[in-house]
Amino acid sequence: MRNGVSPDWDPRSETVQRDPLSAYDRMREVSPVAYSAFLGWSLFRHADVLRVLHDPATFSNEVSRHVSVPNGMDPPRHTPFRQLIEPYFSASRLTAFEPVCRGIADELLASVRGAGIVEWMDQVAMHFAVRVQCALLNWPPSMHEALRTWMGANHAAVFAEDREQLAHLAREFVEAIHSVIHNRSAAADDITGELIREQVRGRPLHERELVSILRNWTAGEVGTISASVGILIRYLAAFPKIQQRLRSEPQRLPYAIDEILRIEGPLVSNRRVNTQPVELHGRQIEAGQRITIIWPAANRDGRVFDQPTRFRWDRDQSQSLLYGSGIHVCPGAPLARLELRVLMEQLLASTDWVEPGTDAARPATYPAGGYVRVPLCVKWR
Ligand code: HEM
């Protein structure tokens, strides 16, 4: 018991980790506001999550004393930082980046081409996410392996609540970013160089703010992108009719990608802290508590989505919380959508079919979403 509240569930239990999506579905129906020492108060229903997202005065993002730009900020501090980062994901920048992204997808697919059996997560998904993010920032290839290793260690430390190891990993990552920044000319014609030259409220970014932005765009997002890549291909392998339709009508990919990721969310949770006492579903929550949004549960809520776990070609996706909602809605969504579309286009164009491998896909462990292993049988063209 922590804070004098008995736990309603254990998010790290074997049952939850064996099949997280079913466990979150169950919680949403039987215990929509559930306490655990690990996650504080978890919210599973769409309406409750929306309430949190649209009331930043009550549900604050300032959950930690560490600088986190802009995720860990509330208005008015959040606003200028948010305005600073949004242009980096503009349509013109992304159009220019698309060929780079496609080149990385092609190279990775060429590296497994000819293999009948592919372990998609190890051989493609993680490499793709790391390489695209590093290419966007023009970071050296030496950062690829460092990022991959760091991600795995960080996830394990979060799950184990190993604060010492988390602090060590955070320091290690900050040092790695420092070395990139310090080796970069201030006049460098790339996104990292532009960020170094940025101004906020008429002053240059403090180094810790710059490091935080770069950290969020790499360590923060590589996991979500690679999880998405795994979820998408596992889903298409499991549902060959959808796969074939997308192979012959690739223009439907953007819709299908969002629909699959609504059904199997790649991002599990985000945090808030309540600034005043609140009541949710009859539960009294005193001020200063950790509130955890469970995204996949909200996105499979039958109160909002008809037949929520079924893929539908005609769904109104405006209620989907895949990329959040409100002032913290994902600014990187256009980049994520571009990366995922391009990889899927290249994969579908270079194969006749993709089927599940003989071993079952294995779900990832919290805080990661998606799968750790996605074995596939592939018939290349
Ligand atoms: C499939 C991939 C992605 C998914 C599902 C996703 C989802 C989300 C969600 C749900 C939020 C809202 C969090 C909250 O309200 O607490 C968010 C915020 C954010 N995302 Fe993403 N994201 C993805 C990829 C990316 C990428 C590629 C970038 C940048 C490189 C990015 C940068 C950010 C940032 C900076 C925020 C914080 C925005 C703020 O606080 O104003 N995301 N994302």
Side-chain angles (χ1 to χ4, degrees), residues 60-330:
S60 162
N61 270 49
E62 297 194 357
V63 295
S64 148
R65 61 193 163 78
H66 298 292
V67 179
S68 182
V69 183
N71 325 33
M73 297 174 161
D74 292 332
R77 214 155 69 96
H78 172 261
T79 316
F81 286 98
R82 175 79 197 201
Q83 286 164 350
L84 182 153
I85 63 171
E86 273 181 6
Y88 288 90
F89 305 102
S90 67
S92 57
R93 278 193 191 257
L94 294 181
T95 304
F97 187 58
E98 181 163 341
V100 179
C101 200
R102 203 174 290 280
I104 295 170
D106 279 343
E107 267 182 46
L108 280 170
L109 292 173
S111 73
V112 289
R113 204 185 170 88
I117 308 281
V118 175
E119 205 315 279
W120 185 250
M121 296 311 293
D122 273 354
Q123 293 182 268
V124 180
M126 199 62 182
H127 290 285
F128 179 71
V130 164
R131 287 188 53 180
V132 168
Q133 234 37 45
C134 286
L136 181 79
L137 296 165
N138 192 22
W139 283 12
S142 59
M143 286 298 279
H144 296 173
E145 197 47 40
L147 254 175
R148 271 160 51 81
T149 312
W150 189 90
M151 292 285 307
N154 200 56
H155 279 163
V158 170
F159 190 77
E161 272 188 298
D162 186 342
R163 293 185 200 291
E164 216 171 288
Q165 171 72 346
L166 279 170
H168 166 76
L169 288 166
R171 276 195 304 275
E172 200 178 86
F173 197 73
V174 166
E175 275 165 31
I177 298 184
H178 274 146
S179 80
V180 174
I181 295 172
H182 291 146
N183 288 327
R184 185 85 20 146
S185 139
D189 183 22
D190 56 31
I191 291 190
T192 303
E194 279 183 63
L195 281 169
I196 293 173
R197 294 190 292 277
E198 276 291 357
Q199 299 259 323
V200 69
R201 293 200 212 98
R203 59 149 175 94
L205 283 178
H206 295 146
E207 185 151 301
R208 60 178 188 283
E209 293 163 348
L210 176 61
V211 168
S212 168
I213 293 175
L214 291 171
R215 183 184 151 137
N216 285 340
W217 291 10
T218 49
E221 299 313 331
V222 159
T224 321
I225 291 286
S226 68
S228 302
V229 169
I231 290 167
L232 289 171
I233 193 63
R234 194 215 64 88
Y235 201 90
L236 294 185
F239 294 93
K241 278 194 188 146
I242 302 175
Q243 182 189 146
Q244 282 310 348
R245 182 153 183 199
L246 290 172
R247 196 171 270 110
S248 55
E249 298 174 57
Q251 71 280 10
R252 292 186 185 271
L253 267 168
Y255 172 90
I257 289 172
D258 276 12
E259 172 69 348
I260 294 170
L261 297 181
R262 180 194 62 74
I263 299 171
E264 292 199 15
L267 178 67
V268 181
S269 68
N270 276 102
R271 284 170 69 174
R272 299 290 189 271
V273 56
N274 56 319
T275 56
Q276 50 184 291
V278 288
E279 187 188 322
L280 280 161
H281 289 276
R283 309 288 301 258
Q284 306 294 333
I285 306 178
E286 61 189 52
Q289 297 292 297
R290 174 182 179 153
I291 309 279
T292 302
I293 294 162
I294 305 288
W295 298 107
N299 266 334
R300 292 154 65 98
D301 190 339
R303 292 161 194 78
V304 175
F305 304 100
D306 184 34
Q307 299 180 298
T309 57
R310 277 196 67 170
F311 180 99
R312 297 243 314 245
W313 288 106
D314 60 349
R315 202 179 285 284
D316 169 11
Q317 291 177 328
S318 62
Q319 293 302 305
S320 170
L321 297 176
L322 172 60
Y323 291 102
S325 176
I327 60 167
H328 295 281
V329 68
C330 181

